[in-house]
Amino acid sequence: MTAPSLRADPPRSDPPCADAPCADPPRGDPPCADPPCADPPQPFGSDSARWSKRCAGPVVTELRLSAFAAHRGTVVPLAPLTLLAGPSGSGTSSVLRAYEALSRLVEGAPLDEVFPDPAGCVPEGAEADRQRRRGFRIGCTADGPAGPVRLELAVQAEPTLRIVGERLTLAGVTLLSTALRDPDQPTLQAAWHTDDALPVTRERLPDDRLGTALLPLRVAGRTPGQLQVLAAAEQLVVALRPAFACEPRPHRMRTPVPPGEGRLRRDCGNLAAVLHAEYNGRGAARGRERGDGGGPGVVYGAGSGSGNGYVYGRRHARLVALADAGCARPVTGLRVERFGDGQVRAVLARGDGPGTPLERLGDGELRYLALGVALLMGPGADPADAGSEVPAALQTRTVLADGFDRDLDGRQSRELLTEAASAVAGGRVRLLGTVTEAGAARARGTAGATVVDLEP
């Protein structure tokens, strides 16, 4: 069985406000008017059965770049394992950038942190409106028990960065709508669905925060309409938030690091610390250390055979098998060494030999191992998940990997694709990555992978 190959929907025509997505709507429009491009109405929860069989929690099934960077009217369908392919300039990296931006916005990040270079997000050649404003538009669909929830976001990039419009819809009903009414005020006029004596509730929201992420703190949840708004907003937040952008930088993985970090960083420079935390902090038996004068001590870890230790043991075994399949020489294990100053480094065990520290591996091997760890560290394995109000069992983490097959040889690329397909099959992890032409060809022959072709 080969992987399906899709093509992102081409622009049919410029979407409304493509060149100036931040123009004020006519003041006569009702705050909750249906969007011009809304999908045909569907029954509430019509997609729930398909969703519930596919993943542990709500997931993002479609990304829309109406006017963003190199994209105009681009619609990207997202399967559990989606790889983007296309020539230089086709905007594959921009798709990942838009996804990460939405994920950070639902976490509550301010607009200027999410878009440090907003002018670079405006489509090239986009003309300013009468008020000399330019901007961009992105959106997504989150599928879950409430049904397919759609988010559309319009951002003004020039002359000042601000959100100028947001729309949350479900089954053709607009649940939240925001619009810029007074350009001199740092707020938006918001209206959300109430389905009571008053059909909508109106309030002011800040123009540098995503309104959908603020709804759980603003909506009382007393009427059926308010409950629908809360369910849709929470589903979108839960679907978007567990995203991890993974961009391994081999040169940062070659130096010892302080222990204690259990969360993999974006550049994967703390890979040894993450493996150390796996040994000593999540159900594996406490490491036994033995000193060698002033030399490094070796931290040993083994699964306890039950509970979290068993989960750790399986994950560790899969990582060792992955390393053995993709590294130049046989790998029989993986251990962590601690130096006299307390810093740690990871070492690949080679039978009875001394082993190979990570700093001696090639760039391709280091990227391969880091991406493998990112795929295996699903929800619940990250210490940050412990404080989340959403149970790990209801989270599905999306790994964003720009250059998924960068610096990898054919064998490594095939092994990592196979591991990715296995990881997403469990419904706890999804992958959205970009690949070269060779990587796309391999992905088309991998069961469970979907290739989306983009064009300039």
Side-chain angles (χ1 to χ4, degrees), residues 42 101 289 292 426 456:
Q42 299 176 358
E289 298 183 19
D292 183 18

Side-chain angles (χ1 to χ4, degrees), residues 46-432:
S46 61
D47 225 14
S48 298
R50 178 172 59 85
W51 159 81
S52 62
K53 296 176 182 178
R54 188 179 54 209
C55 48
V59 295
V60 179
T61 55
E62 183 179 85
L63 195 62
R64 293 180 295 279
L65 288 76
S66 302
F68 185 80
H71 297 275
R72 286 178 178 270
T74 301
V75 179
V76 182
L78 300 180
L81 172 49
T82 304
L83 297 170
L84 308 174
S88 179
S90 60
T92 55
S93 297
S94 296
V95 176
L96 272 65
R97 184 157 50 120
Y99 192 112
E100 185 183 6
L102 290 172
S103 175
R104 295 187 62 194
L105 286 171
V106 300
E107 287 184 326
L111 203 61
D112 58 353
E113 290 185 7
V114 177
F115 298 107
D117 178 26
C121 300
V122 179
E124 186 177 1
E127 297 180 0
D129 65 6
R130 289 173 297 179
Q131 286 76 38
R132 294 183 298 177
R133 298 175 299 180
R134 299 198 310 155
F136 51 90
R137 291 180 57 190
I138 55 178
C140 68
T141 298
D143 199 356
V149 177
R150 291 171 58 95
L151 172 70
E152 307 292 344
L153 181 67
V155 178
Q156 173 185 299
E158 299 171 346
T160 58
L161 179 64
R162 65 193 308 180
I163 293 175
V164 293
E166 179 180 348
R167 189 161 285 161
L168 188 71
T169 61
L170 173 62
V173 177
T174 300
L175 302 179
L176 168 71
S177 179
T178 70
L180 179 65
R181 298 300 186 188
D182 186 352
D184 295 328
Q185 297 295 323
T187 59
L188 300 173
Q189 177 65 55
W192 55 80
H193 186 58
T194 304
D195 195 20
D196 198 5
L198 294 176
V200 297
T201 297
R202 291 180 174 82
E203 190 174 326
R204 290 280 180 176
L205 295 179
D207 67 355
D208 66 340
R209 295 291 196 280
L210 189 71
T212 297
L214 300 175
L215 287 178
L217 302 176
R218 303 292 183 108
V219 180
R222 287 192 290 263
T223 69
Q226 291 173 341
L227 291 174
Q228 286 178 354
V229 172
L230 287 174
E234 290 173 357
Q235 176 171 294
L236 187 83
V237 170
V238 172
L240 276 169
R241 191 165 60 178
F244 171 57
C246 185
E247 298 181 1
R249 303 295 176 89
H251 69 280
R252 297 189 178 179
M253 301 164 61
R254 290 194 167 94
T255 57
V257 294
E261 286 190 271
R263 186 174 205 174
L264 192 63
R265 293 200 300 256
R266 184 189 192 108
D267 62 7
C268 301
N270 65 331
L271 181 60
V274 170
L275 296 174
H276 178 266
E278 282 288 299
Y279 278 131
N280 295 280
R282 280 191 283 275
R286 280 286 178 182
R288 292 179 289 107
E289 298 183 19
R290 64 182 183 187
D292 183 18
V298 182
V299 180
Y300 294 93
S304 63
S306 62
N308 290 336
Y310 176 59
V311 173
Y312 162 76
R314 289 186 301 172
R315 189 163 57 234
H316 180 74
R318 287 175 64 180
L319 181 58
V320 171
L322 188 67
D324 183 50
C327 291
R329 294 164 46 209
V331 176
T332 57
L334 183 63
R335 67 175 187 263
V336 179
E337 293 180 347
R338 175 177 287 177
F339 289 88
D341 61 0
Q343 297 199 98
V344 295
R345 71 175 181 182
V347 178
L348 298 183
R350 309 278 195 180
D352 297 331
T356 305
L358 256 59
E359 59 262 29
R360 297 184 65 87
L361 299 180
D363 285 2
E365 290 176 310
L366 286 173
R367 285 185 53 83
Y368 172 82
L369 287 174
L371 287 166
V373 170
L375 289 169
L376 291 171
M377 296 284 286
D382 191 328
D385 297 332
S388 173
E389 66 275 15
V390 181
L394 299 180
Q395 297 182 42
T396 302
R397 173 166 297 169
T398 299
V399 176
L400 307 175
D402 195 5
F404 183 70
D405 60 342
R406 186 183 305 149
D407 294 333
L408 304 187
D409 60 28
R411 176 188 56 168
Q412 291 169 333
S413 181
R414 284 190 296 270
E415 292 293 340
L416 200 57
L417 277 169
T418 301
E419 180 59 40
S422 175
V424 304
R428 305 293 305 283
V429 176
R430 291 165 72 89
L431 173 67
L432 174 60

